[in-house]
Structure formats: C-alpha cells, structure tokens
Amino acid sequence: KAPGHCASGERLCSVEEATAGSGTYTRHGFIFSSLAGCLEKRSEGSGPLVVSVVRDAEAQLLPDVGDVVTCKICGINSRFAKVHILYVGSTPLKSTFRGTIRREDIRATEKDKVEVYKSFRPGDIVLAKVISLGDAQSNYLLSTAENELGVVVARSEAGVQMVPISWCEMQCPRTHTKDFRKVARVQPQFLQT
C-alpha cells in the first residue's frame, strides 16, 4: 500500500484529533475512510484539522464489462487478435491492459466465415467492447460484433492512414490499394487519433 493511501473502512483517527471531511464518516468517536484513496489532512488557518479521503483516479479506472475501449492490435493468428487496451471511453489508461478478440467475437453475422487477418492487422486502432474480465494474466475478452465497433485507424503498407470505403474494406488514399478490415461505423465521440 502506498504511503498516504487508505482502504475503504479504515480507521483514520479519533474525532478529538480532527474533523471528518469528504470521503470519511464518524462512528464511535473515530473517523473512518468511506472509500479507497489518498489521505489528506488540512487545517484552515487556526481552525481544526480536517481529514478527507480523495478517490485515487488511477486506481479506480479499470476496463469493466460493457465498457467501450480503444485498443491497438499487437498480434494476430487464425483464432484471435491480441490487443493492448489504451483508453476506456475517452480516458487514457495509465498502465497497459492486455485483451483478446476471439474470431467468433469479431462480427455479429456469418461468424464461421470470419478470418482474423481480413479483420485486423497489427498496429490497427480498434474500438471494442469488454465482454469478460479474463483470467489471471488480466487478459480481457473483447468483442467488435456491433456496427460501431471495429477498426477506426489503420495504416497502409505505404504508411498512410487508410480511409474506410465499406464495412469490410479500407483504402490507401496514396496507392489506392484496398485492404480487408472489420471497419467501425465511427461515432465521433470515440475518435482518438
């Protein structure tokens, strides 16, 4: 536990020593933390010491089931794509979480005909939804089976950002080469370029 951190329900001090501020409650003459976070002690001028607990934003933000996340494809094989999760909604994550998009979770229709390498390539930026909190390696299971989900940014062989031309193809504006992708119908609030 980092210094100055407290757990939810932790006893902080007695009410004689300080006044309960935000993120705390009093019981039986003691002040307790009502959430996990950073302990702050402040006194206004000659006033009493006020103890408060500030929620630690970094500790709280974890991808959760149902969240839309922005991730980067880091590897693919015939059964799934491996990703690094970069954003939850529009909030950047401080540390990297790994995720997997299985072949059967790429598309909502004709799942048996899906080919991973025709959906994603390493380096693609993808919008996906968290469908389960994975195993001990913090490997989240993700899905791109909705229209809004899928590849939002992809670069062509020439290194140029490609333009979506259909729900399953993107094109390089420089070379006009077409590549297969599971393209997201992007909602502007998710654009993280």
Side-chain angles (χ1 to χ4, degrees), residues 124-125 151-155 162-172 176-184:
D124 287 358
I125 302 294
V151 177
V152 283
V153 180
R155 299 204 174 276
M162 298 203 288
V163 180
I165 50 173
S166 75
W167 60 274
C168 63
E169 276 187 307
M170 286 183 142
Q171 186 171 33
C172 172
H176 303 297
T177 318
K178 293 176 188 173
D179 264 343
F180 286 108
R181 288 293 197 283
K182 196 294 178 182
V183 180

mmCIF file of all heavy atoms in Angstrom, residues 124-125 151-155 162-172 176-184:
data_model
loop_
_atom_site.group_PDB
_atom_site.id
_atom_site.type_symbol
_atom_site.label_atom_id
_atom_site.label_comp_id
_atom_site.label_asym_id
_atom_site.label_seq_id
_atom_site.Cartn_x
_atom_site.Cartn_y
_atom_site.Cartn_z
ATOM 1 N N ASP A 124 -3.256 -1.667 -35.990
ATOM 2 C CA ASP A 124 -4.584 -1.053 -36.129
ATOM 3 C C ASP A 124 -5.086 -0.538 -34.778
ATOM 4 O O ASP A 124 -4.840 -1.161 -33.743
ATOM 5 C CB ASP A 124 -5.617 -2.079 -36.622
ATOM 6 C CG ASP A 124 -5.450 -2.440 -38.092
ATOM 7 O OD1 ASP A 124 -4.559 -1.876 -38.737
ATOM 8 O OD2 ASP A 124 -6.221 -3.297 -38.575
ATOM 9 N N ILE A 125 -5.809 0.571 -34.820
ATOM 10 C CA ILE A 125 -6.502 1.067 -33.629
ATOM 11 C C ILE A 125 -7.968 0.651 -33.762
ATOM 12 O O ILE A 125 -8.607 0.905 -34.779
ATOM 13 C CB ILE A 125 -6.392 2.604 -33.513
ATOM 14 C CG1 ILE A 125 -4.923 3.031 -33.477
ATOM 15 C CG2 ILE A 125 -7.161 3.111 -32.285
ATOM 16 C CD1 ILE A 125 -4.146 2.576 -32.259
ATOM 17 N N VAL A 151 -12.258 -1.521 -36.562
ATOM 18 C CA VAL A 151 -11.069 -0.715 -36.851
ATOM 19 C C VAL A 151 -11.465 0.742 -37.091
ATOM 20 O O VAL A 151 -12.350 1.025 -37.898
ATOM 21 C CB VAL A 151 -10.334 -1.270 -38.096
ATOM 22 C CG1 VAL A 151 -9.134 -0.402 -38.448
ATOM 23 C CG2 VAL A 151 -9.900 -2.711 -37.850
ATOM 24 N N VAL A 152 -10.808 1.665 -36.364
ATOM 25 C CA VAL A 152 -11.052 3.087 -36.598
ATOM 26 C C VAL A 152 -9.862 3.761 -37.276
ATOM 27 O O VAL A 152 -10.037 4.707 -38.031
ATOM 28 C CB VAL A 152 -11.412 3.859 -35.303
ATOM 29 C CG1 VAL A 152 -12.834 3.594 -34.904
ATOM 30 C CG2 VAL A 152 -10.476 3.538 -34.159
ATOM 31 N N VAL A 153 -8.651 3.266 -36.988
ATOM 32 C CA VAL A 153 -7.464 3.831 -37.634
ATOM 33 C C VAL A 153 -6.587 2.674 -38.107
ATOM 34 O O VAL A 153 -6.258 1.783 -37.328
ATOM 35 C CB VAL A 153 -6.642 4.721 -36.666
ATOM 36 C CG1 VAL A 153 -5.417 5.297 -37.380
ATOM 37 C CG2 VAL A 153 -7.491 5.847 -36.111
ATOM 38 N N ALA A 154 -6.244 2.706 -39.394
ATOM 39 C CA ALA A 154 -5.337 1.682 -39.932
ATOM 40 C C ALA A 154 -4.399 2.363 -40.916
ATOM 41 O O ALA A 154 -4.801 3.290 -41.622
ATOM 42 C CB ALA A 154 -6.135 0.590 -40.633
ATOM 43 N N ARG A 155 -3.159 1.914 -40.931
ATOM 44 C CA ARG A 155 -2.202 2.470 -41.884
ATOM 45 C C ARG A 155 -1.936 1.447 -42.977
ATOM 46 O O ARG A 155 -1.892 0.259 -42.734
ATOM 47 C CB ARG A 155 -0.893 2.844 -41.187
ATOM 48 C CG ARG A 155 -1.133 3.897 -40.130
ATOM 49 C CD ARG A 155 0.091 4.731 -39.812
ATOM 50 N NE ARG A 155 -0.254 5.814 -38.883
ATOM 51 C CZ ARG A 155 -0.765 6.980 -39.239
ATOM 52 N NH1 ARG A 155 -0.990 7.242 -40.510
ATOM 53 N NH2 ARG A 155 -1.062 7.894 -38.335
ATOM 54 N N MET A 162 -5.483 4.921 -43.735
ATOM 55 C CA MET A 162 -6.437 4.469 -44.750
ATOM 56 C C MET A 162 -7.842 5.014 -44.484
ATOM 57 O O MET A 162 -8.174 5.396 -43.376
ATOM 58 C CB MET A 162 -6.460 2.944 -44.810
ATOM 59 C CG MET A 162 -5.112 2.368 -45.222
ATOM 60 S SD MET A 162 -5.246 0.728 -45.928
ATOM 61 C CE MET A 162 -5.615 -0.227 -44.499
ATOM 62 N N VAL A 163 -8.622 5.033 -45.549
ATOM 63 C CA VAL A 163 -9.986 5.560 -45.491
ATOM 64 C C VAL A 163 -10.957 4.395 -45.617
ATOM 65 O O VAL A 163 -10.811 3.565 -46.519
ATOM 66 C CB VAL A 163 -10.201 6.540 -46.675
ATOM 67 C CG1 VAL A 163 -11.611 7.119 -46.638
ATOM 68 C CG2 VAL A 163 -9.154 7.645 -46.650
ATOM 69 N N PRO A 164 -11.959 4.314 -44.723
ATOM 70 C CA PRO A 164 -12.943 3.227 -44.868
ATOM 71 C C PRO A 164 -13.798 3.445 -46.108
ATOM 72 O O PRO A 164 -14.256 4.566 -46.347
ATOM 73 C CB PRO A 164 -13.798 3.334 -43.598
ATOM 74 C CG PRO A 164 -13.354 4.548 -42.869
ATOM 75 C CD PRO A 164 -12.206 5.166 -43.563
ATOM 76 N N ILE A 165 -13.965 2.400 -46.912
ATOM 77 C CA ILE A 165 -14.829 2.533 -48.095
ATOM 78 C C ILE A 165 -16.061 1.639 -47.983
ATOM 79 O O ILE A 165 -17.019 1.798 -48.727
ATOM 80 C CB ILE A 165 -14.061 2.253 -49.407
ATOM 81 C CG1 ILE A 165 -13.291 0.937 -49.332
ATOM 82 C CG2 ILE A 165 -13.115 3.408 -49.728
ATOM 83 C CD1 ILE A 165 -12.658 0.519 -50.641
ATOM 84 N N SER A 166 -16.048 0.712 -47.040
ATOM 85 C CA SER A 166 -17.243 -0.094 -46.752
ATOM 86 C C SER A 166 -17.054 -0.658 -45.349
ATOM 87 O O SER A 166 -16.044 -0.396 -44.709
ATOM 88 C CB SER A 166 -17.394 -1.235 -47.767
ATOM 89 O OG SER A 166 -16.445 -2.249 -47.483
ATOM 90 N N TRP A 167 -18.013 -1.461 -44.891
ATOM 91 C CA TRP A 167 -17.874 -2.036 -43.546
ATOM 92 C C TRP A 167 -16.797 -3.117 -43.474
ATOM 93 O O TRP A 167 -16.436 -3.548 -42.397
ATOM 94 C CB TRP A 167 -19.216 -2.564 -43.054
ATOM 95 C CG TRP A 167 -19.791 -3.641 -43.932
ATOM 96 C CD1 TRP A 167 -20.551 -3.464 -45.038
ATOM 97 C CD2 TRP A 167 -19.613 -5.050 -43.785
ATOM 98 N NE1 TRP A 167 -20.863 -4.677 -45.602
ATOM 99 C CE2 TRP A 167 -20.306 -5.660 -44.850
ATOM 100 C CE3 TRP A 167 -18.944 -5.855 -42.856
ATOM 101 C CZ2 TRP A 167 -20.337 -7.038 -45.015
ATOM 102 C CZ3 TRP A 167 -18.978 -7.233 -43.024
ATOM 103 C CH2 TRP A 167 -19.673 -7.814 -44.094
ATOM 104 N N CYS A 168 -16.272 -3.518 -44.631
ATOM 105 C CA CYS A 168 -15.242 -4.567 -44.573
ATOM 106 C C CYS A 168 -13.983 -4.220 -45.372
ATOM 107 O O CYS A 168 -13.124 -5.078 -45.568
ATOM 108 C CB CYS A 168 -15.806 -5.911 -45.045
ATOM 109 S SG CYS A 168 -16.341 -5.871 -46.761
ATOM 110 N N GLU A 169 -13.877 -2.972 -45.859
ATOM 111 C CA GLU A 169 -12.686 -2.603 -46.634
ATOM 112 C C GLU A 169 -12.218 -1.184 -46.311
ATOM 113 O O GLU A 169 -13.030 -0.297 -46.058
ATOM 114 C CB GLU A 169 -12.985 -2.655 -48.134
ATOM 115 C CG GLU A 169 -12.854 -4.032 -48.754
ATOM 116 C CD GLU A 169 -12.994 -3.947 -50.269
ATOM 117 O OE1 GLU A 169 -14.001 -3.385 -50.743
ATOM 118 O OE2 GLU A 169 -12.092 -4.426 -50.965
ATOM 119 N N MET A 170 -10.878 -1.018 -46.350
ATOM 120 C CA MET A 170 -10.284 0.307 -46.246
ATOM 121 C C MET A 170 -9.339 0.485 -47.423
ATOM 122 O O MET A 170 -8.832 -0.492 -47.969
ATOM 123 C CB MET A 170 -9.521 0.452 -44.930
ATOM 124 C CG MET A 170 -10.417 0.600 -43.723
ATOM 125 S SD MET A 170 -9.437 0.852 -42.233
ATOM 126 C CE MET A 170 -10.433 2.023 -41.351
ATOM 127 N N GLN A 171 -9.122 1.740 -47.786
ATOM 128 C CA GLN A 171 -8.297 2.000 -48.962
ATOM 129 C C GLN A 171 -7.213 3.026 -48.623
ATOM 130 O O GLN A 171 -7.457 3.976 -47.880
ATOM 131 C CB GLN A 171 -9.176 2.551 -50.093
ATOM 132 C CG GLN A 171 -8.418 2.710 -51.416
ATOM 133 C CD GLN A 171 -9.364 3.054 -52.564
ATOM 134 O OE1 GLN A 171 -10.370 3.735 -52.361
ATOM 135 N NE2 GLN A 171 -9.060 2.595 -53.757
ATOM 136 N N CYS A 172 -6.020 2.818 -49.210
ATOM 137 C CA CYS A 172 -4.930 3.771 -49.041
ATOM 138 C C CYS A 172 -5.149 4.932 -50.009
ATOM 139 O O CYS A 172 -5.241 4.717 -51.214
ATOM 140 C CB CYS A 172 -3.594 3.097 -49.335
ATOM 141 S SG CYS A 172 -2.217 4.265 -49.367
ATOM 142 N N HIS A 176 -4.106 3.726 -53.455
ATOM 143 C CA HIS A 176 -5.446 3.197 -53.779
ATOM 144 C C HIS A 176 -5.560 1.688 -53.592
ATOM 145 O O HIS A 176 -6.491 1.060 -54.092
ATOM 146 C CB HIS A 176 -5.880 3.607 -55.201
ATOM 147 C CG HIS A 176 -5.866 5.091 -55.386
ATOM 148 N ND1 HIS A 176 -6.675 5.938 -54.660
ATOM 149 C CD2 HIS A 176 -5.095 5.881 -56.186
ATOM 150 C CE1 HIS A 176 -6.412 7.193 -55.009
ATOM 151 N NE2 HIS A 176 -5.467 7.189 -55.918
ATOM 152 N N THR A 177 -4.592 1.112 -52.867
ATOM 153 C CA THR A 177 -4.680 -0.309 -52.530
ATOM 154 C C THR A 177 -5.800 -0.516 -51.523
ATOM 155 O O THR A 177 -5.963 0.287 -50.603
ATOM 156 C CB THR A 177 -3.364 -0.781 -51.867
ATOM 157 O OG1 THR A 177 -2.276 -0.205 -52.564
ATOM 158 C CG2 THR A 177 -3.239 -2.289 -51.886
ATOM 159 N N LYS A 178 -6.566 -1.596 -51.695
ATOM 160 C CA LYS A 178 -7.638 -1.900 -50.749
ATOM 161 C C LYS A 178 -7.216 -3.040 -49.833
ATOM 162 O O LYS A 178 -6.542 -3.967 -50.276
ATOM 163 C CB LYS A 178 -8.917 -2.299 -51.500
ATOM 164 C CG LYS A 178 -9.518 -1.151 -52.282
ATOM 165 C CD LYS A 178 -10.728 -1.612 -53.075
ATOM 166 C CE LYS A 178 -11.202 -0.506 -54.008
ATOM 167 N NZ LYS A 178 -12.261 -0.960 -54.904
ATOM 168 N N ASP A 179 -7.623 -2.943 -48.581
ATOM 169 C CA ASP A 179 -7.335 -3.987 -47.602
ATOM 170 C C ASP A 179 -8.629 -4.346 -46.885
ATOM 171 O O ASP A 179 -9.452 -3.473 -46.634
ATOM 172 C CB ASP A 179 -6.347 -3.473 -46.541
ATOM 173 C CG ASP A 179 -4.915 -3.850 -46.868
ATOM 174 O OD1 ASP A 179 -4.713 -4.750 -47.699
ATOM 175 O OD2 ASP A 179 -4.006 -3.236 -46.276
ATOM 176 N N PHE A 180 -8.774 -5.633 -46.539
ATOM 177 C CA PHE A 180 -9.948 -6.040 -45.762
ATOM 178 C C PHE A 180 -9.762 -5.657 -44.296
ATOM 179 O O PHE A 180 -8.688 -5.822 -43.743
ATOM 180 C CB PHE A 180 -10.160 -7.555 -45.876
ATOM 181 C CG PHE A 180 -10.705 -7.965 -47.208
ATOM 182 C CD1 PHE A 180 -9.907 -8.631 -48.131
ATOM 183 C CD2 PHE A 180 -12.029 -7.681 -47.537
ATOM 184 C CE1 PHE A 180 -10.417 -9.006 -49.371
ATOM 185 C CE2 PHE A 180 -12.540 -8.064 -48.778
ATOM 186 C CZ PHE A 180 -11.728 -8.719 -49.691
ATOM 187 N N ARG A 181 -10.825 -5.164 -43.686
ATOM 188 C CA ARG A 181 -10.838 -4.846 -42.258
ATOM 189 C C ARG A 181 -12.262 -5.011 -41.749
ATOM 190 O O ARG A 181 -13.219 -4.898 -42.509
ATOM 191 C CB ARG A 181 -10.436 -3.383 -41.990
ATOM 192 C CG ARG A 181 -8.981 -3.028 -42.202
ATOM 193 C CD ARG A 181 -8.078 -3.706 -41.193
ATOM 194 N NE ARG A 181 -6.757 -3.088 -41.115
ATOM 195 C CZ ARG A 181 -5.781 -3.245 -41.995
ATOM 196 N NH1 ARG A 181 -5.963 -3.985 -43.063
ATOM 197 N NH2 ARG A 181 -4.610 -2.659 -41.808
ATOM 198 N N LYS A 182 -12.407 -5.227 -40.440
ATOM 199 C CA LYS A 182 -13.724 -5.132 -39.806
ATOM 200 C C LYS A 182 -13.834 -3.662 -39.396
ATOM 201 O O LYS A 182 -13.332 -3.254 -38.368
ATOM 202 C CB LYS A 182 -13.807 -6.058 -38.591
ATOM 203 C CG LYS A 182 -15.229 -6.339 -38.062
ATOM 204 C CD LYS A 182 -15.942 -5.144 -37.482
ATOM 205 C CE LYS A 182 -17.341 -5.479 -37.019
ATOM 206 N NZ LYS A 182 -18.055 -4.298 -36.493
ATOM 207 N N VAL A 183 -14.481 -2.862 -40.237
ATOM 208 C CA VAL A 183 -14.476 -1.410 -40.070
ATOM 209 C C VAL A 183 -15.565 -0.973 -39.082
ATOM 210 O O VAL A 183 -16.686 -1.464 -39.133
ATOM 211 C CB VAL A 183 -14.691 -0.716 -41.441
ATOM 212 C CG1 VAL A 183 -14.681 0.798 -41.288
ATOM 213 C CG2 VAL A 183 -13.628 -1.154 -42.435
ATOM 214 N N ALA A 184 -15.212 -0.040 -38.199
ATOM 215 C CA ALA A 184 -16.195 0.525 -37.278
ATOM 216 C C ALA A 184 -16.973 1.628 -37.975
ATOM 217 O O ALA A 184 -16.401 2.402 -38.737
ATOM 218 C CB ALA A 184 -15.487 1.107 -36.061
#
